[in-house]
Amino acid sequence: MPNFTILNRFSSSFRDYNSHLKLVFICTTVSGGGVLGYNAVVGSSEDAVVAAADKKKVVVLGTGWAATSFMKNLNNPKYDVQVVSPRNYFAFTPLLPSVTCGTVEARSIVEPVRNIFPKKNVEVQFSEAECIKIDAENKKVYCRSISKNNLNGQEEFAVDYDILIISVGANVNTFNTPGVVENCHFLKEVEDAEKIRRTVIDCFERASLPDISEEERKRILHFAIVGGGPTGVEFAAALHDFVNGDLVKLYPGIKDLVQITLLEAGNHILSMFDKRITAFAEDKFQREGIDVKTGSMVVKVTNKEICTKEVTNGGQISSIPYGMAVWSTGIGTRPFIKDFMSQIGQGNRRALLTDEWLRVEGFNDVYALGDCATVNQRKVVEDIAAIFKKADKNNSGTLTVKEFQEVMGDIYERYPQVELYLKNKQMSNIADLLKEDNVDVKKQLNIEELKKVLSKVDSQMKFLPATAQVASQQGIYLAKCFNRMEDCEENPEGPLRFRGEGRHRFKPFRYKHLGQFAPLGGEKTAAQLPGDWVSIGHSSQWLWYSVYASKQVSWRTRALVVTDWTRRFVFGRDSSRI
Amino acid sequence: MPNFTILNRFSSSFRDYNSHLKLVFICTTVSGGGVLGYNAVVGSSEDAVVAAADKKKVVVLGTGWAATSFMKNLNNPKYDVQVVSPRNYFAFTPLLPSVTCGTVEARSIVEPVRNIFPKKNVEVQFSEAECIKIDAENKKVYCRSISKNNLNGQEEFAVDYDILIISVGANVNTFNTPGVVENCHFLKEVEDAEKIRRTVIDCFERASLPDISEEERKRILHFAIVGGGPTGVEFAAALHDFVNGDLVKLYPGIKDLVQITLLEAGNHILSMFDKRITAFAEDKFQREGIDVKTGSMVVKVTNKEICTKEVTNGGQISSIPYGMAVWSTGIGTRPFIKDFMSQIGQGNRRALLTDEWLRVEGFNDVYALGDCATVNQRKVVEDIAAIFKKADKNNSGTLTVKEFQEVMGDIYERYPQVELYLKNKQMSNIADLLKEDNVDVKKQLNIEELKKVLSKVDSQMKFLPATAQVASQQGIYLAKCFNRMEDCEENPEGPLRFRGEGRHRFKPFRYKHLGQFAPLGGEKTAAQLPGDWVSIGHSSQWLWYSVYASKQVSWRTRALVVTDWTRRFVFGRDSSRI
Ligand SMILES: Cc1cc2nc3c(=O)[nH]c(=O)nc-3n(C[C@H](O)[C@H](O)[C@H](O)COP(=O)(O)OP(=O)(O)OC[C@H]3O[C@@H](n4cnc5c(N)ncnc54)[C@H](O)[C@@H]3O)c2cc1C
Ligand SMILES: Cc1cc2nc3c(=O)[nH]c(=O)nc-3n(C[C@H](O)[C@H](O)[C@H](O)COP(=O)(O)OP(=O)(O)OC[C@H]3O[C@@H](n4cnc5c(N)ncnc54)[C@H](O)[C@@H]3O)c2cc1C
C-alpha cells in the first residue's frame, strides 16, 4: 500500500532531519542533567558481517530502565537480541507522579521500544509478552502474549537463549496487608497513574452529586496515601497542587471538604533524605493542611476505611474513612522471579543475587540488573588471606611497600566499599588507610595488620537502592562489557583474581550516585546532590525541570514533556474524566 | 488548604490573561471556520437578581454538541440549570477518527463542562450521572451515578424540573446483527477511539510474535471496517496513513501482510456526498490498496470472521477472516429514550419527534435536540385551508394580491421547505412560485390555485441529518429563545398562527447547512460546501485544519489540537500500547 503524497514526504523528511529542532529544545533543557544524559549511541558504520553460526542469542526480559539503557548502548554485531516484555514501550517512571494529576500526559513519558532499539549492526527482535518461567538448565524462557482480546486467546511460546538478561523490575509490596490489593491504588505503571487521575476526578464528581450527606462527602474527598517515601510524598504534593490550583475553582461547593493524609510507619517522611529536607517537607505539608501521620502502620484496608496501628502509644488501633487510597510502600518480587529464585536456592531473598559483574550467582550466562536484582558485594575481609598470598610474591609472610603498592589498585577496583570509605573519610588513597591505623608504611606488613586495616572498610558496604539511576547505570555498564567481550577476553581489563589465576575480564560494576530530587509541590523541589549538598526551593524546581527534560529517552518525549509543562502553565490541568 | 507561591501566582495570572496567547494561535487558525465559530457568550454584566421563586428549574440531559451549545449561549438569569450527563466533558466528535490513530490525543479534544458552563448570571449545577428514566407526568427525571469503584456502589437520585431539555445523542445501531456487540469496535465515544488505537497496536504486536503461521498473521493484520459513511471512510484513511506512515517502519517484517477492507451495503461509499467526491475516494482507496467492497451486507460477526451477503449476485454468502473490526453504520435510540417514546406514543420511531420549535410533540416544557430528536416538519398542504382562511380577511373566497402578500412572509417563515424549494429553483421569493405555475399575479387567487402552488414545495421536506452542525445550531437557537422568553411573550416574533390566534412566540428553528468535509488520508480532504461547491485535495485539507481548529470549544483544546498536529508532523504518531 504505497502512499506518498507531497505532504507526506515533506513531513517524513522533516522528521528525519529533526536534528535542527533539537536546537530549539536545547534552550529549554539547560545542561544540569547533561552528565546523567541518556544519549543514543550511534551504531558503528562498518556494517560488520558476522556469520550466523558465530552469533550468540541474547534474550532480554523487560523494557524498563535497565533493559532500555542496555539496548541503547549495545553495539556488538556478534549478538542477536530478542527482547521480551509485556510493554512495547519504555516509561520514564520519575514523571509518573506528574501523570497522576495531568501535569504531563501519559503518552509524553513513554517511547515505543521499536523506536529505541533498532541498530545498524545488531539484530533486534521484540515480542510483546511476559516471561512466565525461566528454565536455566535448558537455557529457555517460557513466555505468554498479553493481549486479551478476541484475536486468539493467549499465546504461549518458548525462547532459547545463549545469554539471558533479566531486567523485569519489581512488584508492589503490600506486606500481605489485608484488603490492599482489592481497595488501594498503586503507582508503579503508566496505567496506575491514569487510573489514579480518573479516580481523583471521580471522587470530586461523586461528592458533587445531590442527595449525599456531608459526612459521606467528606469521606469521599479524603485522599489517603500510604508510605512517606519519595513517591508517596511527591504524589501527595502533586495532588495538593491539582486540588488547590485547578479543582477548587471547578468544584467550589465542596472544596472545603477535601483532606489529604499521608500515613508513614516510620518517625519521619523522606527518611532517606537529609534531615533538612525531611524537616522542610513536614513543615510545608503541615502549613498546607496535608495531614502527615507518622508512626502509624496500616494493618487493614476495607472498601471505606483504613485501619492503622500506632507504632508507639501502646499500639492503638484506629479507623480512618477514605475515598481514595494510594499504596506506595517499597517493592517486592515478581512471582516468576520468586520461582526462579527458589529453583536456584535463593528462595529466601527479596531480589536475585548477582556478583559484581551482574551475573546471577552460580551462572555464567544469566545476568540480572535493575530492581529485580541486588549485587552481593564481596567483603574484603573474606579475601584477606587470598589477597595477602597473591601480594606476597616472594612468599616471605610479610608484604613490602612495593608488594602492597602493586595490589593496591586491584583492591581498590575489586571492592567498591574501599572507595566509599576513602570518600567518607576524605582520604585520597589506600595508603591513607594504613596511616589512619598508624601502620608504618616504611615497614613490612603482616597479615594481621592488613586485616585490621582493610576489614574496617566493609562497614561501608551498602545494598544499592532500587532506583532508575542504578538500573540505567547497570544497563550501560553491561552493554559496554558486551561490546568489548572479545577484546577483553584477550586483554582482560579487570582487577587481579585474588582467588584464581590472571585478571577478571571486566572491571566490576560501580555505582555513581548523582543526587536525588524530592518534588514538594508549589513549584518547589528539594535536591540532595553528592557531597550532601542540599538545595530546596524554586531553583531546584527549575533544576528538576531541566534534568528531567534532558534525561528523556528521545527527542520526541523531550518535546512532549516540555510542551506538556508549558500547556499546564498556560491552561492548568485538565479535569475531564477520561 | 491555601497554597500560593510566587510561581503559582505567576502561572495562574498567566492563565487569566491568556488572551495575549490567543494572538499566537490566531496565526495558526486562519478564519475559514470563523463563521461557524463557537464563541463564548459573555454573561451580561448587570447581575440581575432574580427572586428564587421566580426562577424556573431547567434540567439539561447530556453534554454533547446540542447541550453544550445551548449552555454556552444561555444567558437568562430567570433559569436555574442542572445538567446531568455521564461525561463531565464535551467531546469534539469530528476529531474522534484522528484519535484512533494518535494524530491528536483524546485529551486534546475534550473540555470539562465545568470550565464551559459557569456564567455570571445563570446558576448552573452539574451531576455526573446518566438519566435512566423520564417521568414527564410528574416532571421528574431519574438518574444513576456512573462511577463503579469502591466508593459507594451506584447512587440513584431523582431530579425535578420545570423545563426538560433532552440532548442525549444517539446509540450505535447494530441492526441486531448477531455478534456485532461482542466482537466489533464502535467509534462513538472517546473511549472507543482509545480502544481502537490500542487494538491496532495489539494486532501488530501479536502478528510479530514467534510461532504464528503466515495465514494467522494475515488474519490478525486484516482490518475490516463496516460502513462506508464519512466516519468509516475517514477511519479507513486514517488507519492507512498510520500503517504506512508510521507502523511499517517499526514492524518491517510484517508490513506486507496488512490489509484494510471497507464493507458497504450500498453501491457506493460516501453516498451522501457529491458523485465527484465518491468517485475520487473510491479511486484513491483502490490505488492505495484499501479494498472497498460495496454491495455487501454484513449478516454475522464471529470472533474471527465476518459473514457477508452480496446484495446482488443472488445473495452469495462469504466469510472473511479478520483481526479487528470497526462497526460504523448509522445511529440508534438510547434505551431510556425508547422507553420514554413508548410512554408518549412515539414507540415506532427512531428519534423523539419535535415541532419546529424543538418541543417534544404534545409537551410544552420538554425540548429535544441533536441526534436524539427529529423535527417533524409540518406540510404546507395540511394547512392550506387554514392559511387561505387567515389570509382571506374579507371572507371573499378569493385572495387579492395584497391579501396574499400579507401572509407570504409568514408562510416563508413557518415552512422551511419553501425556502429550500426557492433556493433549489433559484427563485427569489414566493411570487416566483405563482409565476412558475402561470398563475396571474394580477388576478385573485382561489384555494385550489393556492394549493397547487404551495403543495409542490412539500417535496423539499427533509429530515435534518444527525450531525454536530445541526445539534449545535439547535442548541444556539434554543438558548436564544430562552434568553428572550419574557420579551417574546409580550412581543411575539414568530409567524402568524394560521390555525390559532396571534403569532408564534418565536421563529421556528431553521437549519443552515455550512458544508461538509470527508478527510481521505494522505493530507487530502474532500469538501462539499453549500451550492454544491466541491473541492478535493491538499487545499481542502488545510481548510479542514483551520475550520476544525477554529471550531474548538476552548482556547485550551484549540492549542492542544494544533500542537498535536505539529507534534505529529515532526515526530509521527506514537505506537506505544497504552
Ligand atoms: C512512581 C515512581 C517514581 C520513581 N521515581 C524515581 C526517580 O525519581 N528517580 C529514580 O532514580 N528512580 C525512580 N523510581 C524507581 C525506578 O523507576 C526503578 O528503580 C526503575 O524503573 C528500575 O528499573 P528496572 O529496569 O529494573 O525496572 P522497570 O523500569 O520497572 O522495568 C521492568 C520492565 O520489565 C517488564 N516486565 C515485567 N514483568 C515482566 C515479565 N514477566 N516478563 C518480561 N518483562 C517483564 C516491565 O514491563 C518493564 O518493562 C520511581 C519509581 C516509581 C514507581
Ligand atoms: C466519529 C464521529 C465523527 C463525527 N464527525 C462529524 C463531523 O465531522 N461533522 C458533524 O457535523 N458531525 C459529526 N459527527 C456527528 C456528531 O458528533 C453528532 O451529530 C453530534 O454529536 C450530536 O450531538 P448531540 O448533542 O445530539 O449528541 P452527543 O454529542 O452525542 O452528546 C450526547 C450527550 O448525552 C450524554 N448522554 C448519553 N446518555 C445519557 C443519559 N442516559 N443521560 C444523560 N446524558 C446522556 C452523552 O454523554 C453526551 O454528553 C460525528 C460523530 C462521530 C461519532
Side-chain angles (χ1 to χ4, degrees), chain A residues 1-3 5-8 10-11 14-15 18 21 25 82 88-89 105-108 110-112 114-115 126-129 145-147 149-158 183 190 197 199 201-203 205-206 208-212 216 219-220 240-241 243-246 249-251 258-260 284 288-290 303-304 322-323 522-524 538 542 555-556 559-560 563-564 567-572 574-578, chain B residues 1-3 5-8 10-11 14-15 18 21 25 82 88-89 105-108 110-112 114-115 126-129 145-147 149-158 183 190 197 199 201-203 205-206 208-212 216 219-220 240-241 243-246 249-251 258-260 287-290 303-304 322-323 522-524 538 542 555-556 559-560 563-564 567-572 574-578:
Chain A
M1 290 195 277
N3 171 33
T5 65
I6 297 173
L7 258 148
N8 257 343
F10 163 69
S11 75
F14 195 38
R15 240 177 283 155
N18 66 16
L21 260 170
F25 292 109
Q82 178 158 6
N88 77 353
Y89 54 83
E105 290 303 325
R107 215 165 268 284
S108 306
V110 302
E111 180 71 21
R114 291 176 187 274
N115 274 345
F126 173 74
S127 302
E128 196 191 62
S145 105
I146 56 141
S147 55
N149 52 19
N150 67 345
L151 292 178
N152 203 8
Q154 282 190 312
E155 214 84 51
E156 286 194 15
F157 57 94
N183 299 303
V190 176
R197 182 171 184 181
T199 308
I201 302 296
D202 252 358
C203 290
E205 287 298 348
R206 185 134 199 153
S208 309
L209 290 180
D211 298 349
I212 293 192
E216 182 66 5
R219 178 183 74 74
I220 294 172
H240 176 266
D241 282 0
V243 169
N244 288 277
D246 301 276
K249 288 180 218 141
L250 299 183
Y251 302 82
V258 180
Q259 176 63 47
I260 301 175
K284 180 171 188 293
E288 287 171 347
I290 299 177
N303 66 343
K304 293 191 191 173
Y322 76 94
E523 297 295 325
K524 284 185 179 171
H538 293 313
W542 285 102
W555 283 105
R556 192 189 67 88
L560 262 52
T563 48
D564 279 351
R567 286 169 168 191
R568 204 273 293 164
F569 264 107
V570 180
F571 300 107
D574 181 34
S575 66
S576 308
R577 190 184 165 281
I578 62 167
Chain B
M1 288 194 280
N3 172 33
T5 65
I6 297 172
L7 258 149
N8 257 343
F10 162 68
S11 75
F14 195 37
R15 242 177 281 156
N18 65 16
L21 260 169
F25 291 109
Q82 178 158 5
N88 78 352
Y89 55 82
E105 291 301 327
R107 214 165 268 285
S108 306
V110 303
E111 180 70 19
R114 290 176 187 275
N115 274 345
F126 173 73
S127 301
E128 196 191 65
S145 106
I146 56 141
S147 55
N149 52 21
N150 67 343
L151 292 180
N152 204 9
Q154 282 189 312
E155 215 84 52
E156 285 195 15
F157 58 94
N183 299 302
V190 175
R197 182 171 184 181
T199 308
I201 302 296
D202 252 358
C203 291
E205 287 297 350
R206 185 137 198 151
S208 308
L209 291 180
D211 298 350
I212 294 191
E216 183 66 4
R219 178 183 74 76
I220 295 172
H240 177 266
D241 281 1
V243 168
N244 288 279
D246 301 275
K249 289 181 215 139
L250 299 182
Y251 302 83
V258 180
Q259 176 64 46
I260 300 174
R287 263 182 292 122
E288 286 170 348
I290 298 176
N303 66 343
K304 294 191 188 172
Y322 76 95
E523 297 295 325
K524 284 186 180 169
H538 294 311
W542 286 101
W555 283 104
R556 193 190 67 87
L560 263 52
T563 48
D564 278 351
R567 286 167 168 193
R568 203 275 291 167
F569 264 108
V570 180
F571 299 108
D574 182 34
S575 65
S576 307
R577 191 184 163 281
I578 62 166

Side-chain angles (χ1 to χ4, degrees), chain A residues 13-24:
Chain A
S13 65
F14 195 38
R15 240 177 283 155
D16 296 338
Y17 291 104
N18 66 16
S19 44
H20 306 307
L21 260 170
K22 297 184 178 181
L23 276 177
V24 177

Side-chain angles (χ1 to χ4, degrees), chain A residues 63-65 86-102 104-112 172 185-198 334 556-557 578, chain B residues 105 107 194 198 574 576-578:
Chain A
T63 46
W65 278 97
R87 326 227 160 265
N88 77 353
Y89 54 83
F90 164 78
F92 190 87
T93 49
L95 286 179
L96 271 185
S98 303
V99 172
T100 58
C101 299
V104 301
E105 290 303 325
R107 215 165 268 284
S108 306
I109 66 162
V110 302
E111 180 71 21
V172 170
H185 288 262
F186 301 119
L187 182 44
K188 198 78 188 75
E189 309 282 347
V190 176
E191 291 92 334
D192 296 338
E194 291 185 299
K195 217 169 125 215
I196 288 176
R197 182 171 184 181
R198 259 194 306 273
R334 296 196 189 277
R556 192 189 67 88
T557 56
I578 62 167
Chain B
E105 291 301 327
R107 214 165 268 285
E194 290 185 298
R198 261 195 305 274
D574 182 34
S576 307
R577 191 184 163 281
I578 62 166

Side-chain angles (χ1 to χ4, degrees), chain B residues 359-553:
Chain B
R359 287 173 303 202
V360 173
E361 298 224 315
F363 294 87
N364 262 326
D365 42 20
V366 181
Y367 296 80
L369 47 169
D371 282 3
C372 67
T374 183
V375 177
N376 190 12
Q377 218 85 266
R378 207 174 166 79
K379 289 191 180 153
V380 189
V381 77
E382 291 173 36
D383 289 341
I384 291 285
I387 294 173
F388 194 87
K389 195 152 164 254
K390 197 96 247 179
D392 185 14
K393 285 198 180 143
N394 58 1
N395 280 324
S396 66
T398 53
L399 298 187
T400 63
V401 174
K402 187 160 172 282
E403 279 174 334
F404 184 60
Q405 269 176 342
E406 271 174 9
V407 295
M408 243 161 59
D410 294 301
I411 294 172
Y412 185 83
E413 224 165 50
R414 176 73 185 80
Y415 307 97
Q417 57 266 48
V418 177
E419 184 181 353
L420 283 176
Y421 189 89
L422 295 180
K423 244 193 202 150
N424 244 3
K425 297 268 176 178
Q426 294 174 318
M427 296 175 177
S428 59
N429 57 40
I430 300 187
D432 290 344
L433 282 177
L434 302 175
K435 281 190 209 133
E436 193 186 30
D437 283 323
N438 297 323
V439 177
D440 186 351
V441 206
K442 298 276 150 52
K443 253 181 52 187
Q444 303 216 336
L445 265 177
N446 66 26
I447 188 160
E448 285 312 312
E449 281 169 325
L450 187 66
K451 199 168 185 171
K452 188 174 157 214
V453 167
L454 287 183
S455 62
K456 63 189 175 192
V457 304
D458 284 339
S459 66
Q460 286 302 313
M461 281 182 25
K462 273 189 206 148
F463 285 111
L464 297 177
T467 64
Q469 257 184 68
V470 172
S472 95
Q473 289 182 24
Q474 290 183 331
I476 295 170
Y477 164 81
L478 198 61
K480 287 188 175 161
C481 292
F482 275 55
N483 291 345
R484 291 168 302 124
M485 193 62 87
E486 299 82 24
D487 296 352
C488 293
E489 171 99 65
E490 285 164 28
N491 307 305
E493 59 169 29
L496 265 182
R497 287 181 201 269
F498 292 116
R499 286 167 174 271
E501 286 313 302
R503 310 189 75 82
H504 290 278
R505 189 183 297 195
F506 301 109
K507 291 185 183 164
F509 170 72
R510 187 149 301 179
Y511 171 59
K512 191 165 165 43
H513 186 63
L514 296 163
Q516 213 173 348
F517 288 111
L520 300 173
E523 297 295 325
K524 284 186 180 169
T525 282
Q528 181 167 351
L529 300 181
D532 283 333
W533 192 78
V534 165
S535 146
I536 309 175
H538 294 311
S539 55
S540 324
Q541 177 73 25
W542 286 101
L543 182 65
W544 183 91
Y545 280 130
S546 62
V547 168
Y548 279 20
S550 73
K551 278 169 84 184
Q552 291 303 312
V553 75

Side-chain angles (χ1 to χ4, degrees), chain A residues 123-425:
Chain A
E123 191 92 14
V124 182
Q125 267 186 32
F126 173 74
S127 302
E128 196 191 62
E130 55 180 358
C131 176
I132 48 176
K133 197 181 150 199
I134 299 172
D135 178 356
E137 210 164 305
N138 298 302
K139 297 198 163 195
K140 258 185 206 312
V141 291
Y142 293 88
C143 307
R144 184 167 51 203
S145 105
I146 56 141
S147 55
K148 288 189 198 89
N149 52 19
N150 67 345
L151 292 178
N152 203 8
Q154 282 190 312
E155 214 84 51
E156 286 194 15
F157 57 94
V159 181
D160 295 310
Y161 66 78
D162 295 316
I163 299 171
L164 178 65
I165 297 178
I166 307 175
S167 43
V168 294
N171 251 2
V172 170
N173 198 345
T174 65
F175 304 101
N176 293 321
T177 313
V180 172
V181 172
E182 298 83 351
N183 299 303
C184 291
H185 288 262
F186 301 119
L187 182 44
K188 198 78 188 75
E189 309 282 347
V190 176
E191 291 92 334
D192 296 338
E194 291 185 299
K195 217 169 125 215
I196 288 176
R197 182 171 184 181
R198 259 194 306 273
T199 308
V200 171
I201 302 296
D202 252 358
C203 290
F204 275 84
E205 287 298 348
R206 185 134 199 153
S208 309
L209 290 180
D211 298 349
I212 293 192
S213 71
E214 182 90 352
E215 192 185 356
E216 182 66 5
R217 280 186 222 278
K218 264 191 170 162
R219 178 183 74 74
I220 294 172
L221 291 173
H222 182 209
F223 300 91
I225 297 145
V226 185
T231 301
V233 166
E234 183 175 352
F235 172 64
L239 181 61
H240 176 266
D241 282 0
F242 186 26
V243 169
N244 288 277
D246 301 276
L247 296 183
V248 293
K249 288 180 218 141
L250 299 183
Y251 302 82
I254 51 173
K255 66 170 194 267
D256 297 329
L257 307 176
V258 180
Q259 176 63 47
I260 301 175
T261 303
L262 186 58
L263 295 158
E264 162 62 44
N267 289 329
H268 288 287
I269 60 171
L270 294 179
S271 54
M272 65 293 290
F273 279 85
D274 189 280
K275 281 204 192 71
R276 287 165 286 177
I277 293 180
T278 299
F280 180 88
E282 287 178 349
D283 193 51
K284 180 171 188 293
F285 279 11
Q286 203 200 333
R287 263 183 292 124
E288 287 171 347
I290 299 177
D291 193 9
V292 179
K293 280 199 165 59
T294 51
S296 59
M297 207 165 74
V298 174
V299 290
K300 199 175 92 184
V301 182
T302 71
N303 66 343
K304 293 191 191 173
E305 284 186 344
I306 294 183
C307 303
T308 60
K309 187 175 163 182
E310 299 296 299
V311 175
T312 54
N313 275 346
Q316 203 194 316
I317 302 272
S318 29
S319 274
I320 317 169
Y322 76 94
M324 174 174 126
V326 175
W327 187 268
S328 165
T329 63
I331 54 174
T333 323
R334 296 196 189 277
F336 85 103
I337 294 291
K338 242 195 161 74
D339 287 351
F340 179 55
M341 284 164 66
S342 15
Q343 260 179 58
I344 62 172
Q346 297 190 1
N348 51 356
R349 308 202 147 260
R350 188 203 63 75
L352 276 165
L353 219 55
T354 71
D355 64 18
E356 292 90 338
W357 291 266
L358 311 185
R359 286 172 303 203
V360 174
E361 296 222 317
F363 294 88
N364 262 325
D365 41 21
V366 182
Y367 295 80
L369 49 167
D371 281 4
C372 66
T374 183
V375 178
N376 190 13
Q377 217 85 264
R378 205 172 166 81
K379 289 190 181 155
V380 189
V381 77
E382 292 173 34
D383 289 342
I384 290 284
I387 294 173
F388 194 88
K389 196 155 163 252
K390 197 100 239 185
D392 186 15
K393 285 201 177 143
N394 59 2
N395 280 325
S396 66
T398 54
L399 299 186
T400 64
V401 175
K402 188 161 170 279
E403 278 173 336
F404 184 61
Q405 270 176 341
E406 271 175 9
V407 295
M408 243 160 60
D410 294 300
I411 294 172
Y412 185 84
E413 221 165 53
R414 177 69 185 81
Y415 307 96
Q417 57 266 51
V418 177
E419 184 180 353
L420 283 177
Y421 189 89
L422 295 180
K423 243 193 203 152
N424 244 2
K425 298 266 176 179

